mmCIF file of all heavy atoms in Angstrom:
data_model
loop_
_atom_site.group_PDB
_atom_site.id
_atom_site.type_symbol
_atom_site.label_atom_id
_atom_site.label_comp_id
_atom_site.label_asym_id
_atom_site.label_seq_id
_atom_site.Cartn_x
_atom_site.Cartn_y
_atom_site.Cartn_z
ATOM 1 N N ARG U 41 -20.730 -18.528 15.730
ATOM 2 C CA ARG U 41 -20.302 -19.896 16.020
ATOM 3 C C ARG U 41 -18.799 -20.085 15.930
ATOM 4 O O ARG U 41 -18.215 -20.857 16.664
ATOM 5 C CB ARG U 41 -20.977 -20.872 15.072
ATOM 6 C CG ARG U 41 -22.448 -21.054 15.331
ATOM 7 C CD ARG U 41 -23.009 -22.181 14.528
ATOM 8 N NE ARG U 41 -22.326 -22.303 13.242
ATOM 9 C CZ ARG U 41 -22.883 -22.726 12.137
ATOM 10 N NH1 ARG U 41 -24.136 -23.090 12.134
ATOM 11 N NH2 ARG U 41 -22.206 -22.802 11.018
ATOM 12 N N SER U 42 -18.170 -19.391 14.973
ATOM 13 C CA SER U 42 -16.744 -19.587 14.744
ATOM 14 C C SER U 42 -16.085 -18.251 14.392
ATOM 15 O O SER U 42 -15.631 -18.046 13.269
ATOM 16 C CB SER U 42 -16.552 -20.593 13.609
ATOM 17 O OG SER U 42 -15.196 -20.751 13.326
ATOM 18 N N PRO U 43 -16.031 -17.332 15.355
ATOM 19 C CA PRO U 43 -15.469 -16.017 15.053
ATOM 20 C C PRO U 43 -13.966 -16.079 14.762
ATOM 21 O O PRO U 43 -13.269 -16.976 15.230
ATOM 22 C CB PRO U 43 -15.746 -15.218 16.337
ATOM 23 C CG PRO U 43 -15.876 -16.240 17.401
ATOM 24 C CD PRO U 43 -16.433 -17.477 16.747
ATOM 25 N N ASP U 44 -13.506 -15.130 13.989
ATOM 26 C CA ASP U 44 -12.081 -15.026 13.673
ATOM 27 C C ASP U 44 -11.419 -14.237 14.803
ATOM 28 O O ASP U 44 -11.253 -13.015 14.725
ATOM 29 C CB ASP U 44 -11.898 -14.325 12.322
ATOM 30 C CG ASP U 44 -10.461 -14.334 11.840
ATOM 31 O OD1 ASP U 44 -9.546 -14.512 12.672
ATOM 32 O OD2 ASP U 44 -10.251 -14.156 10.631
ATOM 33 N N LEU U 45 -11.064 -14.932 15.860
ATOM 34 C CA LEU U 45 -10.504 -14.284 17.046
ATOM 35 C C LEU U 45 -9.139 -13.663 16.771
ATOM 36 O O LEU U 45 -8.785 -12.643 17.372
ATOM 37 C CB LEU U 45 -10.425 -15.274 18.206
ATOM 38 C CG LEU U 45 -11.776 -15.843 18.668
ATOM 39 C CD1 LEU U 45 -11.579 -16.878 19.767
ATOM 40 C CD2 LEU U 45 -12.707 -14.728 19.118
ATOM 41 N N ARG U 46 -8.398 -14.262 15.845
ATOM 42 C CA ARG U 46 -7.091 -13.681 15.498
ATOM 43 C C ARG U 46 -7.281 -12.320 14.840
ATOM 44 O O ARG U 46 -6.489 -11.402 15.054
ATOM 45 C CB ARG U 46 -6.302 -14.625 14.597
ATOM 46 C CG ARG U 46 -5.844 -15.867 15.370
ATOM 47 C CD ARG U 46 -5.033 -16.788 14.529
ATOM 48 N NE ARG U 46 -3.680 -16.274 14.347
ATOM 49 C CZ ARG U 46 -2.702 -16.980 13.807
ATOM 50 N NH1 ARG U 46 -2.913 -18.221 13.411
ATOM 51 N NH2 ARG U 46 -1.509 -16.454 13.648
ATOM 52 N N LEU U 47 -8.332 -12.174 14.033
ATOM 53 C CA LEU U 47 -8.628 -10.870 13.430
ATOM 54 C C LEU U 47 -9.007 -9.869 14.516
ATOM 55 O O LEU U 47 -8.526 -8.739 14.508
ATOM 56 C CB LEU U 47 -9.754 -10.993 12.404
ATOM 57 C CG LEU U 47 -10.234 -9.670 11.796
ATOM 58 C CD1 LEU U 47 -9.120 -9.023 10.969
ATOM 59 C CD2 LEU U 47 -11.471 -9.889 10.949
ATOM 60 N N CYS U 48 -9.843 -10.295 15.445
ATOM 61 C CA CYS U 48 -10.253 -9.399 16.538
ATOM 62 C C CYS U 48 -9.040 -8.895 17.310
ATOM 63 O O CYS U 48 -8.920 -7.695 17.590
ATOM 64 C CB CYS U 48 -11.231 -10.110 17.473
ATOM 65 S SG CYS U 48 -12.796 -10.548 16.713
ATOM 66 N N ASP U 49 -8.127 -9.812 17.647
ATOM 67 C CA ASP U 49 -6.915 -9.426 18.376
ATOM 68 C C ASP U 49 -6.067 -8.457 17.560
ATOM 69 O O ASP U 49 -5.564 -7.456 18.083
ATOM 70 C CB ASP U 49 -6.073 -10.659 18.724
ATOM 71 C CG ASP U 49 -6.717 -11.517 19.797
ATOM 72 O OD1 ASP U 49 -7.632 -11.038 20.494
ATOM 73 O OD2 ASP U 49 -6.304 -12.700 19.926
ATOM 74 N N ALA U 50 -5.899 -8.751 16.275
ATOM 75 C CA ALA U 50 -5.073 -7.892 15.414
ATOM 76 C C ALA U 50 -5.683 -6.503 15.291
ATOM 77 O O ALA U 50 -4.954 -5.498 15.292
ATOM 78 C CB ALA U 50 -4.899 -8.531 14.040
ATOM 79 N N LEU U 51 -6.995 -6.420 15.184
ATOM 80 C CA LEU U 51 -7.656 -5.113 15.069
ATOM 81 C C LEU U 51 -7.511 -4.306 16.354
ATOM 82 O O LEU U 51 -7.362 -3.082 16.311
ATOM 83 C CB LEU U 51 -9.136 -5.285 14.715
ATOM 84 C CG LEU U 51 -9.416 -5.753 13.293
ATOM 85 C CD1 LEU U 51 -10.883 -6.134 13.132
ATOM 86 C CD2 LEU U 51 -9.013 -4.693 12.278
ATOM 87 N N GLU U 52 -7.530 -4.983 17.492
ATOM 88 C CA GLU U 52 -7.359 -4.291 18.775
ATOM 89 C C GLU U 52 -5.948 -3.755 18.951
ATOM 90 O O GLU U 52 -5.729 -2.822 19.711
ATOM 91 C CB GLU U 52 -7.706 -5.224 19.929
ATOM 92 C CG GLU U 52 -9.190 -5.475 20.065
ATOM 93 C CD GLU U 52 -9.511 -6.435 21.204
ATOM 94 O OE1 GLU U 52 -8.632 -6.680 22.065
ATOM 95 O OE2 GLU U 52 -10.645 -6.938 21.223
ATOM 96 N N ASN U 53 -4.988 -4.352 18.255
ATOM 97 C CA ASN U 53 -3.580 -3.978 18.426
ATOM 98 C C ASN U 53 -2.980 -3.324 17.186
ATOM 99 O O ASN U 53 -1.776 -3.410 16.962
ATOM 100 C CB ASN U 53 -2.770 -5.219 18.807
ATOM 101 C CG ASN U 53 -3.203 -5.779 20.141
ATOM 102 O OD1 ASN U 53 -3.165 -5.077 21.143
ATOM 103 N ND2 ASN U 53 -3.643 -7.027 20.155
ATOM 104 N N LEU U 54 -3.816 -2.671 16.401
ATOM 105 C CA LEU U 54 -3.317 -2.002 15.193
ATOM 106 C C LEU U 54 -2.349 -0.883 15.546
ATOM 107 O O LEU U 54 -2.599 -0.118 16.488
ATOM 108 C CB LEU U 54 -4.472 -1.382 14.415
ATOM 109 C CG LEU U 54 -5.304 -2.271 13.520
ATOM 110 C CD1 LEU U 54 -6.425 -1.452 12.882
ATOM 111 C CD2 LEU U 54 -4.457 -2.913 12.459
ATOM 112 N N PRO U 55 -1.283 -0.741 14.776
ATOM 113 C CA PRO U 55 -0.428 0.435 14.953
ATOM 114 C C PRO U 55 -1.266 1.688 14.653
ATOM 115 O O PRO U 55 -1.999 1.724 13.666
ATOM 116 C CB PRO U 55 0.675 0.248 13.914
ATOM 117 C CG PRO U 55 0.631 -1.202 13.541
ATOM 118 C CD PRO U 55 -0.774 -1.645 13.756
#
Side-chain angles (χ1 to χ4, degrees):
R41 289 189 327 212
S42 177
D44 187 339
L45 298 177
R46 290 182 76 170
L47 175 65
C48 295
D49 289 344
L51 289 170
E52 287 179 15
N53 296 302
L54 279 178

